[in-house]
Amino acid sequence: MELKRWLERGVDAFEAWADTYEEYAAHPATAVDEDACAAGFDELVARLHGSYPFFHPCYAGQMLKPPHPAAVAGYLAAMLVNPNNHALDGGPATSVMEEEAVRQLAAMMGLEDPLGHLTSSGTIANLEALFVARESRPGRSVAVSAEGHYTHARMCHLLGLRVHRVPVDDRGRMDLSALESLLATGDVGTVVATTGTTALGAVDPVHRIVPLARRHGARVHVDAAYGGFFALLADDPLMDGATGRALRAVAHCDSVVVDPHKHGLQPYGCGAVLFADPETARFYRHDSPYTYFTSDRPHLGEISLECSRSGAAAAALWLTLRLLPLTRRGLGGVLAAGRRAALRWAGLIGGSELLGLYQPPELDIVTYFPRTEPAALSRIDTASREILRQGMEDGRNPVFLSVARVGADAFTGRHSSVVPDLDHTRILRSVLMKPESEPYLDTLHHRVEDLAKAAR
Ligand SMILES: *Cc1c(COP(=O)(O)O)cnc(C)c1O
């Protein structure tokens, strides 16, 4: 799809719609000089080129990629109107698009008729889920794995909730016997499981956590901010059986968070939270003297903690899902390419004399380390940082990776022959979330091997 053409159509459509209203005078207060505009714009563009090339498969670092052209075109078309999805008063058209898009997200995860809405981010979506957790289980604490996102502890602090960090197994997944002992104390009101941890892409065994939590009267919230869209591959032979079971079990949780601005091809400003029980709306009840006047239907602001929210974000997601629906053949094809790339790279790294696989990838995040002589954490730490730096600084042929810090016990639990001469080390990490990573993989692998050879 040709982006320029659709951006222009968005502008044309807005102007045609505006022309259906009575003509009015533009005010000089907002007028800007065309030459000043050109100079400012040129400076903006030049400064933007100080970014990393997230669009290119040589960028195999953090969870970053540009939005789909459909999302950009949908966003622009709606942004010219600038609706606010807080209330039907502010976003009558885009609120309905939000409801339709949220229903599709819910169906993808097997939730029937939940309460849900988009948010500005996964962090805010998790904050809402933790707020509901606190209201539903007053006085009780939250259990989250040691590999869970750092914002859970921050948001719990904000909410005055006590947090227990549950240890993980040798694949970075929540340890069930540790969870069971914790639940037996009766203190835990909500277990936060993660499907797709940020560092390793590990998937907590939700299918085993749900029955365990239920036996102890605890709720289950799933942080699927990163991994939620892998539900499209839950039954696919590309996934491990246990991963597929965990992804399918999200259907039985109390709440779930998924970030369309991660794997849903959206620009930033698009998270989502869903609650299995539509009665959850009661925790959000509030009065507003300014809004909620144009309709007796519930407004999205009445079931969300945020006030203003971008209606354009809802329009962008709605249009994207219309073109790439939440099916195996639709958006699933994008996730499958990254997953295949991760599996193939894990195989290449496994056979490499220069690189070692930290652990098998469960999703599309590959973690690996340079093989050093001697094999010691201090050497691996230095070499990983060197590879990261050299890759980025190569002016002609750059490659962008990321690093993750792991503890000595976690490392030696996976690779017992490495000498633990530090209490932690940095390893390399690549998120292969662009389908373009698949055809580029051999080039990427050889580049990283060359960097590892030079860092020895
Ligand atoms: C990215 C992420 C978050 C935070 O979401 P933001 O949209 O960045 O605020 C939370 N949990 C997990 C597992 C994530 O990957």
Side-chain angles (χ1 to χ4, degrees):
M1 119 174 227
E2 204 202 324
L3 180 60
K4 271 188 200 162
R5 175 161 167 242
W6 294 99
L7 292 182
E8 200 173 318
R9 275 187 71 159
V11 176
D12 289 346
F14 174 73
E15 289 178 351
W17 177 62
D19 283 346
T20 65
Y21 286 85
E22 189 191 352
E23 207 178 315
Y24 61 98
H27 197 282
T30 53
V32 293
D33 178 70
E34 281 289 314
D35 289 342
C37 190
F41 202 82
D42 287 349
E43 187 182 338
L44 171 80
V45 169
R47 289 171 72 159
L48 281 176
H49 291 175
S51 311
Y52 301 119
F54 307 127
F55 59 90
H56 196 283
C58 76
Y59 183 89
Q62 311 275 8
M63 297 168 170
L64 286 155
K65 64 173 175 180
H68 192 276
V72 179
Y75 201 103
L76 176 92
M79 183 174 56
L80 294 170
V81 181
N82 206 21
N84 185 337
N85 274 13
H86 170 244
L88 288 159
D89 310 52
T94 47
S95 288
V96 180
M97 291 182 204
E98 175 167 339
E99 287 165 352
E100 290 175 22
V102 165
R103 265 202 296 281
Q104 294 170 67
L105 294 174
M108 171 180 77
M109 288 185 289
L111 288 164
E112 263 175 55
D113 199 27
L115 185 79
H117 58 275
L118 301 180
T119 61
S120 300
S121 69
T123 302
I124 297 296
N126 277 313
L127 169 67
E128 297 207 12
L130 292 167
F131 159 71
V132 168
R134 186 189 73 182
E135 301 301 296
S136 311
R137 294 286 188 281
R140 289 167 74 185
S141 61
V142 167
V144 57
S145 99
E147 288 283 336
H149 201 267
Y150 73 91
T151 51
H152 294 300
R154 282 184 96 185
M155 294 300 146
C156 284
H157 178 61
L158 196 65
L159 291 163
L161 277 164
R162 286 173 295 114
V163 186
H164 299 279
R165 271 163 64 97
V166 186
V168 290
D169 66 12
D170 60 5
R171 288 283 183 273
R173 301 173 292 212
M174 189 182 281
D175 183 284
L176 292 175
S177 55
L179 176 65
E180 185 153 28
S181 320
L182 195 58
L183 285 166
T185 65
D187 182 54
V188 176
T190 299
V191 180
V192 175
T194 306
T195 54
T197 60
T198 313
L200 303 173
V203 176
D204 285 339
V206 182
H207 53 299
R208 299 182 60 193
I209 291 171
V210 169
L212 202 57
R214 297 284 179 248
R215 271 207 296 287
H216 295 275
R219 306 170 77 257
V220 178
H221 168 61
V222 179
D223 179 1
Y226 186 72
F229 286 93
F230 280 93
L232 300 172
L233 303 186
D235 299 319
D236 198 281
L238 283 170
M239 308 305 283
D240 286 344
T243 308
R245 279 192 288 283
L247 294 170
R248 282 193 294 275
V250 173
H252 305 297
C253 67
D254 296 290
S255 55
V256 59
V257 159
V258 60
D259 264 0
H261 71 201
K262 290 229 176 96
H263 252 305
L265 306 174
Q266 299 308 295
Y268 286 112
C270 195
V273 62
L274 305 166
F275 297 96
D277 178 9
E279 293 298 310
T280 304
R282 70 186 183 280
F283 297 123
Y284 285 95
R285 205 157 284 147
H286 64 282
D287 245 338
S288 161
Y290 327 104
T291 47
Y292 315 141
F293 292 113
T294 49
S295 169
D296 292 333
R297 279 191 341 128
H299 302 247
L300 287 163
E302 292 178 286
I303 52 157
S304 110
L305 290 184
E306 293 177 272
C307 179
S308 294
R309 282 184 313 107
S310 161
L317 180 59
W318 182 90
L319 182 61
T320 307
L321 297 185
R322 222 189 121 140
L323 297 170
L324 287 164
L326 297 177
T327 57
R328 174 63 182 81
R329 299 178 64 164
L331 187 64
V334 176
L335 285 108
R339 172 66 184 154
R340 279 193 302 268
L343 285 174
R344 203 157 76 73
W345 202 13
L348 291 173
I349 292 170
S352 169
E353 282 172 9
L354 296 159
L355 300 170
L357 189 65
Y358 181 67
Q359 70 169 47
E362 251 186 285
L363 301 178
D364 56 3
I365 300 173
V366 184
T367 47
Y368 50 102
F369 57 93
R371 288 192 187 280
T372 55
E373 206 53 69
L377 293 187
S378 58
R379 295 290 308 278
I380 290 171
D381 192 64
T382 310
S384 292
R385 272 189 303 163
E386 192 58 15
I387 291 168
L388 178 79
R389 199 176 59 80
Q390 293 290 351
M392 280 170 56
E393 288 179 0
D394 186 326
R396 255 181 349 123
N397 199 4
V399 57
F400 301 86
L401 311 170
S402 75
V403 292
R405 191 164 58 176
V406 299
D409 290 346
F411 199 108
T412 54
R414 290 162 173 86
H415 304 279
S416 55
S417 60
V418 172
V419 181
D421 59 346
L422 287 179
D423 61 8
H424 68 264
T425 185
R426 268 156 287 199
I427 59 168
L428 295 162
R429 166 177 170 268
S430 286
V431 181
L432 302 180
M433 68 191 309
K434 288 187 289 276
E436 290 77 15
S437 293
E438 190 180 20
Y440 191 77
L441 193 71
D442 290 309
T443 309
L444 180 66
H445 178 63
H446 291 129
R447 276 296 286 135
V448 177
E449 273 201 323
D450 286 347
L451 289 164
K453 194 183 281 176
R456 271 194 145 175

